Amino acid sequence: MDLLTHWIANTPDFAIPYALAALGLIVSERAGVLSLGAEGLMLVGALAGIGAVLAVHDPGVGLIAGMLAAALVSVLFAVMVVWLRINQVIAGLALVFFCQGLTGLLGTVLGWTNQPVSGPEAVALGPLAALPLVGGLFRQNVAAYLVPFIFVGVVGWLHHTASGLRLRAVGESPQAADAAGVPVLRVRFWAIVAGAALIGLAGSYIAVASTKLWIAGMTGGRGWIAVALVIFARWSPWRALAGTVLFGGIEALIPQLAAAGIGLPQYFVLMTPYVVTLGVMVWVALARRPRRNARRAGRTLFA
């Protein structure tokens, strides 16, 4: 029972970075831009967040600094793919390698590696925190409580505002949007920047609120898993959120099993999230195949 209680309580801490990164990717990709640079942007957000906390000793400033730093770096990617028309896949991969090298260099030169910081304090939500089994869900840090509001706000903006409608129109039919007077290039540019800010927040959350220090490559492939989550969810925010809970729960379970004395090989633990990612992608592909075959059979029947 203790293992289950701690597992449930720790799941949000692991799921939140996935949720924020997936949401940022959806904003960008709904505008018609394939963004593969999430891993690099998360590293930039993590490094900037730690640097800001070390400078001003305020976790909130660290989280905002991560957003701003990732948004700033994303301008390079936006210029490449929006105005210079460079292949989005190549530009995204180049951005990841650039950010990995840049953050590793700056973290070492500035002496921010392995420097512990104080993260946001945990806050108990009254009687809810005393509930059996699930009470730990209501003893999270302040930033964790804000994430659901960010998620709902961004989804509401995408689906219930004129600017969100323009963004989705640009992604679905840029020619029709341009004919309607929508500035396609400008919308795509700001969608990339806004999505990168959310991805940077995911990275700074890992560094400032979860691990509370900086280590080179500390995101550990979470950006790539977020990309797979978005594809698995077919760019639906709510399906992506369900996927983040799944992956967050898997990651949260691993240290709980170790604490309970269940020995697991180190490399098995490291590969588990990626094995699950591959499994989910295969399952989605197999689930979609019968529908494709049915549509193909229908076309043959009525040809």
Side-chain angles (χ1 to χ4, degrees), residues 18 38-44 46 100 202-204 206 214-223 251 274:
Y18 289 125
E39 180 74 8
L41 293 173
M42 288 177 72
L43 286 171
V44 169
Q100 286 176 337
S204 60
I206 293 173
W214 160 260
I215 301 173
M218 65 182 301
T219 52
R222 290 180 176 89
E251 281 204 21
Y274 304 100

Short mmCIF file of all heavy atoms in Angstrom, two decimals, residues 18 38-44 46 100 202-204 206 214-223 251 274:
data_model
loop_
_atom_site.label_atom_id
_atom_site.label_comp_id
_atom_site.label_asym_id
_atom_site.label_seq_id
_atom_site.Cartn_x
_atom_site.Cartn_y
_atom_site.Cartn_z
N TYR A 18 6.27 15.92 -19.70
CA TYR A 18 5.72 15.36 -20.93
C TYR A 18 4.51 16.16 -21.40
O TYR A 18 4.35 16.44 -22.59
CB TYR A 18 5.31 13.90 -20.74
CG TYR A 18 6.45 12.93 -20.58
CD1 TYR A 18 6.53 12.09 -19.48
CD2 TYR A 18 7.44 12.85 -21.54
CE1 TYR A 18 7.57 11.18 -19.34
CE2 TYR A 18 8.48 11.94 -21.42
CZ TYR A 18 8.55 11.12 -20.31
OH TYR A 18 9.59 10.23 -20.19
N ALA A 38 12.41 19.35 -29.79
CA ALA A 38 11.94 19.44 -28.40
C ALA A 38 13.02 19.07 -27.39
O ALA A 38 13.16 19.71 -26.35
CB ALA A 38 10.72 18.55 -28.20
N GLU A 39 13.79 18.05 -27.70
CA GLU A 39 14.84 17.61 -26.76
C GLU A 39 15.85 18.73 -26.51
O GLU A 39 16.22 19.00 -25.35
CB GLU A 39 15.55 16.38 -27.33
CG GLU A 39 16.66 15.82 -26.45
CD GLU A 39 16.14 15.08 -25.23
OE1 GLU A 39 14.92 14.87 -25.13
OE2 GLU A 39 16.96 14.71 -24.38
N GLY A 40 16.28 19.41 -27.56
CA GLY A 40 17.23 20.50 -27.40
C GLY A 40 16.63 21.68 -26.66
O GLY A 40 17.27 22.29 -25.80
N LEU A 41 15.38 22.03 -26.96
CA LEU A 41 14.73 23.16 -26.31
C LEU A 41 14.51 22.88 -24.82
O LEU A 41 14.59 23.79 -23.99
CB LEU A 41 13.42 23.47 -27.00
CG LEU A 41 13.52 24.01 -28.43
CD1 LEU A 41 12.15 24.12 -29.07
CD2 LEU A 41 14.23 25.36 -28.45
N MET A 42 14.22 21.63 -24.49
CA MET A 42 14.07 21.28 -23.07
C MET A 42 15.39 21.45 -22.33
O MET A 42 15.43 21.92 -21.18
CB MET A 42 13.55 19.85 -22.93
CG MET A 42 12.10 19.69 -23.32
SD MET A 42 11.51 17.98 -23.23
CE MET A 42 11.44 17.74 -21.45
N LEU A 43 16.49 21.09 -22.97
CA LEU A 43 17.81 21.29 -22.35
C LEU A 43 18.10 22.77 -22.14
O LEU A 43 18.63 23.17 -21.09
CB LEU A 43 18.89 20.65 -23.22
CG LEU A 43 18.98 19.13 -23.21
CD1 LEU A 43 19.95 18.63 -24.27
CD2 LEU A 43 19.40 18.63 -21.82
N VAL A 44 17.76 23.59 -23.13
CA VAL A 44 17.96 25.03 -22.99
C VAL A 44 17.13 25.57 -21.83
O VAL A 44 17.61 26.37 -21.00
CB VAL A 44 17.59 25.75 -24.30
CG1 VAL A 44 17.53 27.26 -24.10
CG2 VAL A 44 18.60 25.42 -25.39
N ALA A 46 16.07 23.91 -19.22
CA ALA A 46 16.61 23.40 -17.97
C ALA A 46 17.83 24.20 -17.52
O ALA A 46 17.94 24.59 -16.35
CB ALA A 46 16.96 21.93 -18.12
N GLN A 100 22.28 20.68 -27.52
CA GLN A 100 23.03 19.76 -26.66
C GLN A 100 24.45 20.26 -26.45
O GLN A 100 24.95 20.27 -25.32
CB GLN A 100 23.04 18.36 -27.29
CG GLN A 100 21.73 17.62 -27.19
CD GLN A 100 21.75 16.28 -27.90
OE1 GLN A 100 22.55 16.05 -28.81
NE2 GLN A 100 20.86 15.38 -27.50
N ALA A 202 8.81 22.97 -19.81
CA ALA A 202 8.95 21.55 -19.44
C ALA A 202 10.37 21.25 -18.98
O ALA A 202 10.59 20.56 -17.97
CB ALA A 202 8.58 20.67 -20.63
N GLY A 203 11.36 21.78 -19.71
CA GLY A 203 12.75 21.55 -19.32
C GLY A 203 13.10 22.21 -18.00
O GLY A 203 13.76 21.61 -17.14
N SER A 204 12.66 23.45 -17.81
CA SER A 204 12.98 24.14 -16.56
C SER A 204 12.26 23.50 -15.38
O SER A 204 12.76 23.50 -14.25
CB SER A 204 12.63 25.63 -16.66
OG SER A 204 11.26 25.82 -16.93
N ILE A 206 11.78 20.25 -15.05
CA ILE A 206 12.62 19.10 -14.69
C ILE A 206 13.79 19.55 -13.81
O ILE A 206 14.10 18.93 -12.79
CB ILE A 206 13.14 18.39 -15.95
CG1 ILE A 206 11.99 17.74 -16.72
CG2 ILE A 206 14.19 17.34 -15.60
CD1 ILE A 206 12.39 17.17 -18.06
N TRP A 214 21.45 20.95 -12.34
CA TRP A 214 21.71 20.80 -13.77
C TRP A 214 22.78 19.76 -14.01
O TRP A 214 23.83 19.75 -13.36
CB TRP A 214 22.15 22.13 -14.39
CG TRP A 214 22.87 21.94 -15.70
CD1 TRP A 214 24.22 21.96 -15.90
CD2 TRP A 214 22.29 21.66 -16.97
NE1 TRP A 214 24.51 21.72 -17.23
CE2 TRP A 214 23.34 21.52 -17.91
CE3 TRP A 214 20.98 21.51 -17.41
CZ2 TRP A 214 23.12 21.26 -19.24
CZ3 TRP A 214 20.76 21.24 -18.76
CH2 TRP A 214 21.82 21.11 -19.65
N ILE A 215 22.51 18.86 -14.95
CA ILE A 215 23.48 17.89 -15.43
C ILE A 215 23.36 17.87 -16.96
O ILE A 215 22.25 17.91 -17.50
CB ILE A 215 23.22 16.48 -14.87
CG1 ILE A 215 23.26 16.49 -13.35
CG2 ILE A 215 24.23 15.48 -15.40
CD1 ILE A 215 22.83 15.18 -12.72
N ALA A 216 24.48 17.82 -17.65
CA ALA A 216 24.45 17.79 -19.11
C ALA A 216 23.61 16.62 -19.61
O ALA A 216 23.76 15.49 -19.14
CB ALA A 216 25.87 17.70 -19.67
N GLY A 217 22.70 16.90 -20.54
CA GLY A 217 21.84 15.85 -21.10
C GLY A 217 20.81 15.33 -20.14
O GLY A 217 20.32 14.21 -20.29
N MET A 218 20.42 16.14 -19.15
CA MET A 218 19.57 15.66 -18.07
C MET A 218 18.14 15.33 -18.52
O MET A 218 17.43 14.61 -17.82
CB MET A 218 19.53 16.69 -16.95
CG MET A 218 18.86 18.00 -17.32
SD MET A 218 18.89 19.17 -15.95
CE MET A 218 18.00 18.26 -14.69
N THR A 219 17.70 15.83 -19.66
CA THR A 219 16.34 15.51 -20.09
C THR A 219 16.20 14.04 -20.50
O THR A 219 15.08 13.51 -20.52
CB THR A 219 15.93 16.41 -21.27
OG1 THR A 219 16.93 16.35 -22.29
CG2 THR A 219 15.78 17.85 -20.81
N GLY A 220 17.30 13.40 -20.83
CA GLY A 220 17.29 11.94 -21.02
C GLY A 220 16.34 11.43 -22.10
O GLY A 220 15.75 10.37 -21.93
N GLY A 221 16.17 12.19 -23.18
CA GLY A 221 15.32 11.71 -24.26
C GLY A 221 13.84 12.00 -24.09
O GLY A 221 13.02 11.55 -24.90
N ARG A 222 13.47 12.76 -23.07
CA ARG A 222 12.04 13.04 -22.86
C ARG A 222 11.44 13.84 -24.01
O ARG A 222 10.25 13.72 -24.30
CB ARG A 222 11.84 13.77 -21.54
CG ARG A 222 12.09 12.91 -20.31
CD ARG A 222 11.88 13.72 -19.03
NE ARG A 222 12.02 12.90 -17.84
CZ ARG A 222 13.17 12.69 -17.21
NH1 ARG A 222 14.30 13.23 -17.70
NH2 ARG A 222 13.23 11.95 -16.13
N GLY A 223 12.26 14.68 -24.64
CA GLY A 223 11.76 15.42 -25.79
C GLY A 223 11.35 14.52 -26.93
O GLY A 223 10.32 14.74 -27.59
N GLU A 251 7.45 5.98 -15.46
CA GLU A 251 8.70 6.51 -14.90
C GLU A 251 8.65 6.61 -13.39
O GLU A 251 9.65 6.38 -12.70
CB GLU A 251 9.02 7.87 -15.51
CG GLU A 251 9.61 7.80 -16.90
CD GLU A 251 10.41 9.03 -17.23
OE1 GLU A 251 10.84 9.76 -16.31
OE2 GLU A 251 10.60 9.29 -18.43
N TYR A 274 11.52 3.95 -23.54
CA TYR A 274 11.61 3.86 -25.00
C TYR A 274 10.95 2.58 -25.50
O TYR A 274 10.36 2.56 -26.58
CB TYR A 274 13.07 3.92 -25.43
CG TYR A 274 13.75 5.16 -24.92
CD1 TYR A 274 14.57 5.11 -23.80
CD2 TYR A 274 13.53 6.39 -25.52
CE1 TYR A 274 15.17 6.25 -23.31
CE2 TYR A 274 14.12 7.54 -25.04
CZ TYR A 274 14.95 7.47 -23.93
OH TYR A 274 15.52 8.60 -23.43
#
